[in-house]
Amino acid sequence: MPASQSAAVQTPQTYQPRIFSGIQPSGGLTLGNYLGALKRFVEKQDEGIETIYCMVDMHAITVWQDPAKLRQQTREGAAAFIAAGIDPSRSILFNQSQVSAHAELGWIFSCIARMGWMSRMTQWKDKTAGKNAEAASLGLFAYPALMAADILAYKATMVPVGEDQKQHLELTRDIAIKFNNDYGVDFFPVVEPLIEGAATRVMSLRDGTKKMSKSDPSDQSRINLTDDADTIATKIRKSKTDPLPLPETVDGLKDRPEARNLVNIYAALAGHTVDQVVADFAGAQFGTFKPALADLAVAKLSPITTEMNRLMQDPAEIDRILGHGADRAAALADPILEQVYDITGMIRSRRR
Ligand code: TYM
């Protein structure tokens, strides 16, 4: 075996615990992003695990983005991370396009992943349903291979996400396993999705069967992290509900998607279990519950919005933080990528 290869071929190994996750700057962040992702990113950082977080701007351009808005939303997203409690000296925080390992490994994984795997992705199917799939970008189709590269460029072992990303993480596992098998190595870890808590799928405020999303045409369907206190309270007051009072038990929330969603949001914001919230509000009317939820949401979100606005006054400082994070990220990813090139048989003799 050539010397250069022997470094890459490894015996079964244990991987250092490391967390990676990302958010697309394709619109303003929502309460869904906050409860399903950001809030949990902060918890993981505070548990002392090595954490790497990324604004995935290269994912965002799988559908056309206005360049000025993309820049603004990337900075705003970074500001949201920091305002929510990500400390850029403890976590690595950067935007994806600054670290070329993502694109490079993304290409290699496009050669590992199979067309059939990609066409089974429900997000791809949803995004192209009723539309001309032929007109969708190749990037949108290949997107989960880039997502796998985001994670595996750092050999991350755990990925906190909302429920909607579960299938993409299963694909990440499949890519890692196939790469390891194809090249006879034990190189990439098989990642563990972390989908935890009361709000892994926050639903629309207008329709409890639809996910809360930054791309929903109705602004009333979501709470944005940039909404002021009055807007948050109004959206919650006007949110769709049913005529019944809140149930005595969690089971009573079955078949009541809107009620269940508001209870889940309350639990996640308060840091209580759903059982606790149901016990506290058993028999209450929405006329009582909604104002309590609005007060809680304002109390938890307003300080974040205020801090985001403050940080956005100084975009150069945000860019400096992202640049510093990108340097640290590249220092981790580049040696891993070099090994991948070696494993796959690519000559890397240029002097750098
Ligand atoms: P994105 O940008 O759509 O969402 C970012 C994170 O927020 C979570 N989320 C939600 N959680 C609960 N309820 C909701 N309504 C809700 N809406 C969004 C998402 O589950 C996600 O955790 N493909 C990813 C971005 C990505 C990524 C990665 C994530 C790219 N590379 C590598 C993890 C690791 C996406 O589009 O997320």
Side-chain angles (χ1 to χ4, degrees):
M1 181 186 296
S4 66
Q5 210 182 322
S6 60
V9 178
Q10 299 175 1
T11 49
Q13 54 173 304
T14 51
Y15 297 88
Q16 184 187 325
R18 184 177 274 171
I19 283 184
F20 179 94
S21 202
I23 297 188
Q24 289 200 53
S26 51
L29 300 191
T30 69
L31 180 67
N33 295 128
Y34 175 65
L35 294 177
L38 264 185
K39 185 170 182 287
R40 297 175 45 235
F41 296 173
V42 176
E43 289 161 7
K44 295 296 163 198
Q45 166 191 272
D46 294 346
E47 283 168 25
I49 309 170
E50 187 181 9
T51 40
I52 307 172
Y53 297 127
C54 186
M55 294 306 297
V56 288
D57 47 6
M58 287 166 36
H59 276 92
I61 62 160
T62 55
V63 293
W64 189 82
Q65 302 291 328
D66 177 88
K69 274 198 191 150
L70 180 62
R71 261 189 289 277
Q72 157 87 8
Q73 285 160 189
T74 303
R75 292 188 182 116
E76 203 173 86
F81 270 86
I82 299 166
I86 293 299
D87 171 354
S89 67
R90 283 193 286 155
S91 292
I92 295 181
L93 177 64
F94 67 108
N95 58 308
Q96 188 184 25
S97 58
Q98 296 206 63
V99 178
S100 60
H102 292 247
E104 293 180 57
L105 189 58
W107 174 256
I108 292 172
F109 285 170
S110 287
C111 303
I112 299 289
R114 306 288 97 181
M115 299 280 285
W117 298 2
M118 298 299 180
S119 43
R120 281 192 286 278
M121 292 294 110
T122 51
Q123 272 204 355
W124 161 256
K125 289 198 248 176
D126 290 349
K127 284 189 177 164
T128 51
K131 297 188 200 134
N132 181 6
E134 300 269 312
S137 75
L138 183 55
L140 189 66
F141 185 68
Y143 159 123
L146 181 59
M147 179 161 162
D150 298 337
I151 299 162
L152 295 174
Y154 304 94
K155 294 193 177 180
T157 54
M158 291 169 285
V159 186
V161 285
E163 177 69 38
D164 61 338
Q165 296 300 317
K166 189 166 182 243
Q167 198 188 24
H168 289 155
L169 292 184
E170 280 159 10
L171 189 113
T172 300
R173 292 162 69 94
D174 290 342
I175 288 177
I177 292 167
K178 187 166 190 306
F179 181 94
N180 288 348
N181 283 342
D182 285 0
Y183 290 101
V185 291
D186 175 28
F187 188 73
F188 285 120
V190 178
V191 297
E192 188 193 336
L194 303 179
I195 302 172
E196 306 156 325
T200 55
R201 192 171 176 82
V202 177
M203 307 309 272
S204 156
L205 298 179
R206 309 300 308 162
D207 177 351
T209 64
K210 263 173 60 186
K211 190 183 76 170
M212 182 181 286
S213 160
K214 47 195 159 206
S215 58
D216 192 311
S218 163
D219 193 58
Q220 297 304 310
S221 69
R222 63 179 161 264
I223 291 172
N224 305 298
L225 287 191
T226 47
D227 286 344
D228 61 27
D230 282 350
T231 310
I232 294 174
T234 308
K235 285 179 177 176
I236 291 177
R237 205 177 57 242
K238 291 195 172 159
S239 62
K240 186 177 166 200
T241 40
D242 56 41
L244 302 174
L246 285 168
E248 308 282 329
T249 64
V250 175
D251 262 1
L253 289 170
K254 217 169 135 257
D255 304 323
R256 296 180 63 188
E258 283 84 15
R260 191 176 60 220
N261 187 37
L262 295 186
V263 169
N264 285 348
I265 292 174
Y266 191 105
L269 282 170
H272 294 164
T273 62
V274 174
D275 292 271
Q276 248 174 304
V277 179
V278 169
D280 289 348
F281 288 95
Q285 300 290 338
F286 283 106
T288 308
F289 181 68
K290 280 181 171 179
L293 177 58
D295 285 350
L296 177 64
V298 168
K300 296 286 180 183
L301 300 179
S302 285
I304 298 176
T305 311
T306 307
E307 180 62 2
M308 267 173 79
N309 291 338
R310 191 189 68 76
L311 291 162
M312 285 300 283
Q313 300 298 309
D314 190 356
E317 174 60 9
I318 295 180
D319 292 0
R320 194 195 61 76
I321 292 170
L322 291 174
H324 179 62
D327 285 344
R328 291 169 63 204
L332 292 175
D334 289 350
I336 293 173
L337 185 67
E338 281 308 314
Q339 285 182 291
V340 173
Y341 281 127
D342 189 28
I343 292 169
T344 49
M346 306 211 190
I347 299 169
R348 307 277 288 172
S349 55
R350 252 175 70 214
R351 290 186 55 196
R352 267 164 292 176

